[in-house]
Amino acid sequence: MKLLITGGAGFIGSHVVRRFVINYPNYQIYNLDALTYAGNLENIKDVESRPNYKFIKGDITDFNFIDTLFSREQFDGVIHLAAESHVDRSIKDPLSFVKTNVIGTMNLLNSAKDIWKNNFNGKKFYHISTDEVYGSLGDKGLFTEETPYEPNSPYSASKASSDHFVRAYGETYDLPYVITNCSNNYGPNHFPEKLIPLFINNIINNKALPVYGDGNYTRDWLFVLDHARAIDLVFHKGRNSQTYNIGGFNEWKNIDLVKLLCKLMDEKLDRKPGTSEKLITYVRDRPGHDLRYAIDASKINKELGWEPSVNFEEGLIKTINWYFDNKDWLRNVTTGSYQEYYSNQYES
Ligand code: NAD
Ligand code: DAU
């Protein structure tokens, strides 16, 4: 099995690459990543010298590069995670999300179709997507695989578009594919532009915690290793032409999550209870902010036996401990262009 994993230097991708490299020594794992601001080879350093692992620096938006790579390597499978992934960045620069998430996915689809078209047997294109394609829930209900798409941000619209193209390649060209739509991940290696790692970093540095709007937005949180385990199962046992929702059965209003994080950080930093909460600052809301995401993950549970395994508070403690044990990682990713992003996003 020659398996191409895209975006393997990013947050979720690095955990997926590690799992496949270690669990499947007979597979040749190719990690293709452009190393954008979100990509970091430090995330995957521990497996880089394994004989079944190879890193390829490259951009999925570069059609000629992708086409040549597929012709040369003749991959058997693709797990596609590479993407622009941050909603706030998509509001400021939507076009780069179209380029990477739509055009980049198209390039991979075209190349996979071309090298597999004479024999689709045993081949699989696995597209990693998000629950945000379904839009926003009210106070009740869950996203199922049948929920109509209603993306509200340029990020989710670009992911929805790529999902549609994957499905269309299945219908039109018989490309064997599977799609999963997952809820919010958290855990080690999460880039500190997203809520949990950004707030951990700010608490360490005694900086304000910018809660958007009234903080009553709800997300369904899943520990990243549980997601990687689901991806492994779906890749090997998921039915072709299917989509599976993945979620944590773990809904939290942002403000409640932030207060829990503050409590755990006070304990970790030996600060007086209540110290970190004082940093909470309500700021201008995110435009088009989705009120609530919550996943019905019963299909993947019934078909493949998957369920989340990590309790939220334990997962948060593991995550906090990882950031404390990896202070250099955190320092390296929060200097340079991060400072510019931060002041543009939060201080202008
Ligand atoms: P991330 O931003 O941490 O990592 C993305 C990776 O893709 C980076 O390593 C980056 O260098 C690479 N990349 C970006 N543009 C590229 C390009 N043009 N060519 C090649 N590589 C490129 O993202 P993440 O949070 O790990 O998300 C991974 C995937 O999972 C994305 O498709 C995202 O939509 C999806 N997803 C994320 C979450 C979440 O909570 N983070 C939840 C559900 C689905
Ligand atoms: O649901 C899956 C999605 O989860 C993934 O597809 C995305 O790639 C991932 O980034 C994540 O999207 P969110 O927009 O939900 O994640 P984020 O961490 O940016 O925000 C979580 C919530 O916290 C959201 O309601 C906005 C809020 N927030 C976020 C930031 C960065 C704040 O209140 N303040 C902040 O500074």
Side-chain angles (χ1 to χ4, degrees):
M1 163 76 76
K2 268 194 169 188
L3 175 61
L4 177 70
I5 301 180
T6 70
F11 167 46
I12 302 171
S14 60
H15 292 283
V16 173
V17 165
R18 177 176 301 101
R19 184 178 176 99
F20 275 76
V21 167
I22 291 172
N23 288 3
Y24 303 103
N26 296 334
Y27 293 7
Q28 284 300 318
I29 309 294
Y30 293 76
N31 174 10
L32 169 66
D33 199 296
L35 300 181
T36 68
Y37 78 92
N40 186 345
L41 287 177
E42 287 296 313
N43 291 346
I44 202 71
K45 206 170 173 38
D46 52 316
V47 297
E48 71 184 8
S49 59
R50 299 252 178 168
N52 63 335
Y53 173 74
K54 190 172 160 123
F55 175 70
I56 304 164
K57 186 171 187 303
D59 189 333
I60 59 170
T61 67
D62 181 344
F63 170 77
N64 289 331
F65 168 75
I66 293 296
D67 208 44
T68 308
L69 179 71
F70 273 71
S71 305
R72 186 178 73 226
E73 302 295 350
Q74 298 287 312
F75 302 115
D76 302 298
V78 177
I79 304 181
H80 174 36
L81 298 108
E84 288 294 337
S85 69
H86 191 37
V87 173
D88 292 329
R89 289 188 194 251
S90 82
I91 294 166
K92 297 228 154 98
D93 178 19
L95 196 57
S96 64
F97 283 67
V98 175
K99 283 186 189 145
T100 295
N101 300 356
V102 186
I103 308 288
T105 303
M106 287 293 295
N107 288 340
L108 295 167
L109 284 169
N110 273 325
S111 297
K113 166 176 78 68
D114 287 348
I115 63 161
W116 295 344
K117 65 182 174 218
N118 295 327
N119 184 5
F120 283 127
N121 234 338
K123 309 291 193 272
K124 187 170 281 185
F125 191 100
Y126 180 1
H127 180 59
I128 306 296
S129 191
T130 168
D131 61 355
E132 299 200 10
V133 298
Y134 299 123
S136 184
L137 290 163
D139 290 339
K140 292 207 169 62
L142 301 171
F143 294 135
T144 73
E145 287 79 3
E146 277 71 49
T147 303
Y149 276 30
E150 204 172 56
N152 291 318
S153 73
Y155 163 68
S156 53
S158 69
K159 292 297 289 187
S161 171
S162 62
D163 290 10
H164 290 321
F165 275 111
V166 174
R167 188 178 166 279
Y169 271 59
E171 292 293 316
T172 307
Y173 308 110
D174 295 325
L175 186 88
Y177 78 89
V178 65
I179 299 173
T180 50
N181 297 86
C182 188
S183 65
N184 289 62
N185 285 216
Y186 71 100
N189 308 91
H190 206 181
F191 192 81
E193 63 188 350
K194 310 282 166 59
L195 180 74
I196 291 178
L198 187 132
F199 279 32
I200 291 175
N201 187 41
N202 282 14
I203 293 171
I204 293 172
N205 294 301
N206 270 310
K207 283 179 74 171
L209 305 177
V211 172
Y212 295 160
D214 60 7
N216 283 320
Y217 295 89
T218 300
R219 297 292 182 264
D220 174 358
W221 294 93
L222 178 69
F223 194 61
V224 64
L225 293 181
D226 276 336
H227 189 190
R229 183 167 47 83
I231 290 173
D232 185 344
L233 263 177
V234 171
F235 182 72
H236 289 103
K237 301 205 170 120
R239 286 184 292 136
N240 282 347
S241 314
Q242 293 291 310
T243 68
Y244 295 89
N245 283 353
I246 304 172
F249 297 107
N250 180 39
E251 287 185 52
W252 284 78
K253 277 197 187 337
N254 290 342
I255 190 63
D256 296 335
L257 185 164
V258 169
K259 286 182 178 166
L260 172 62
L261 190 62
C262 287
K263 175 177 108 42
L264 297 174
M265 288 294 288
D266 283 345
E267 285 163 16
K268 180 77 186 173
L269 287 160
D270 232 356
R271 288 180 182 163
K272 214 169 103 217
T275 308
S276 300
E277 264 198 37
K278 291 203 186 99
L279 298 169
I280 293 175
T281 315
Y282 292 92
V283 300
R284 192 177 57 225
D285 210 348
R286 172 186 279 177
H289 200 165
D290 287 330
L291 177 66
R292 176 172 163 256
Y293 305 145
I295 283 275
D296 176 352
S298 54
K299 179 175 174 184
I300 188 172
N301 176 257
K302 283 197 194 101
E303 281 193 24
L304 307 177
W306 178 89
E307 60 184 3
S309 72
V310 179
N311 158 282
F312 191 48
E313 190 160 332
E314 282 165 18
L316 274 183
I317 292 170
K318 279 188 189 168
T319 304
I320 291 168
N321 288 342
W322 186 86
Y323 284 94
F324 276 79
D325 293 343
N326 291 275
K327 287 214 173 87
D328 289 347
W329 184 98
L330 191 55
R331 199 174 313 110
N332 290 341
V333 301
T334 51
T335 48
S337 62
Y338 180 85
Q339 294 299 332
E340 204 179 310
Y341 165 77
Y342 196 92
S343 53
N344 199 358
Q345 177 66 23
Y346 294 102
E347 291 160 2
S348 62

